[in-house]
Amino acid sequence: KLFSKKRAKESRSLVKLSRELDRPGKLGLLTFLIPIILDGIFQKLLPKVFAPNTITLLQNEKITFAGVRRRKRMDRLGQ
């Protein structure tokens, strides 16, 4: 139970990230590709302001899943 309690927030964040990246159909394609393209453009223009794309952030062991979601929400507001 202690493990579940400690990891619940991270688990919720991972499920939400997965669902955001894995939508079906044309809408899913657009909601997957457009953010990746925008992330690449903005991160190259202002690397100190914008983080790399979601998939790259997920591979960084120093950032939690909740941290990735929070960071990408901030990036979307700036874009």
Side-chain angles (χ1 to χ4, degrees), residues 8-62:
K9 183 178 178 182
E10 286 300 296
S11 297
R12 276 193 298 277
S13 294
L14 181 58
V15 168
K16 288 179 181 181
L17 281 166
S18 177
R19 288 182 179 163
E20 291 168 4
L21 293 173
D22 197 26
R23 293 184 179 138
K26 291 180 182 178
L27 177 64
L29 182 64
L30 290 176
T31 59
F32 179 76
L33 286 180
I34 290 174
I36 288 178
I37 292 168
L38 287 175
D39 287 344
I41 292 168
F42 281 91
Q43 210 269 328
K44 284 182 184 173
L45 291 173
L46 298 166
K48 292 184 180 185
V49 176
F50 294 99
N53 68 57
T54 302
I55 295 170
T56 301
L57 289 178
L58 288 172
Q59 295 172 347
N60 186 338
E61 295 175 4
K62 296 177 184 175

